[in-house]
Amino acid sequence: MRTLLLILGLIALAIGLLWIGQGTGMIAWPASSFMIGQIQWAGYGAALAALGLVLIWQTKR
């Protein structure tokens, strides 16, 4: 169960960081993404990344 939570946490953290980068316009990949430059996606990404960190932290307890 811990391995599954760790994997989900890492995936959530990676996707969250990607969304933050796209939302702030720092990452323009893929070029046709509707999320680029849309600041609300940076907020969604921050929430998802935080969830990922919580999941990772829970596996280390």
Side-chain angles (χ1 to χ4, degrees):
M1 186 63 161
R2 286 182 182 223
T3 304
L4 178 62
L5 286 178
L6 179 62
I7 291 169
L8 289 175
L10 290 171
I11 291 171
L13 179 61
I15 292 172
L17 291 174
L18 175 66
W19 287 1
I20 290 170
Q22 285 182 326
T24 59
M26 294 182 70
I27 299 174
W29 175 83
S32 62
S33 177
F34 62 91
M35 295 166 47
I36 296 173
Q38 302 296 317
I39 199 68
Q40 73 267 17
W41 284 100
Y44 300 151
L48 185 59
L51 175 65
L53 288 174
V54 168
L55 290 175
I56 293 168
W57 176 71
Q58 284 294 318
T59 64
K60 302 299 180 186
R61 284 186 28 156

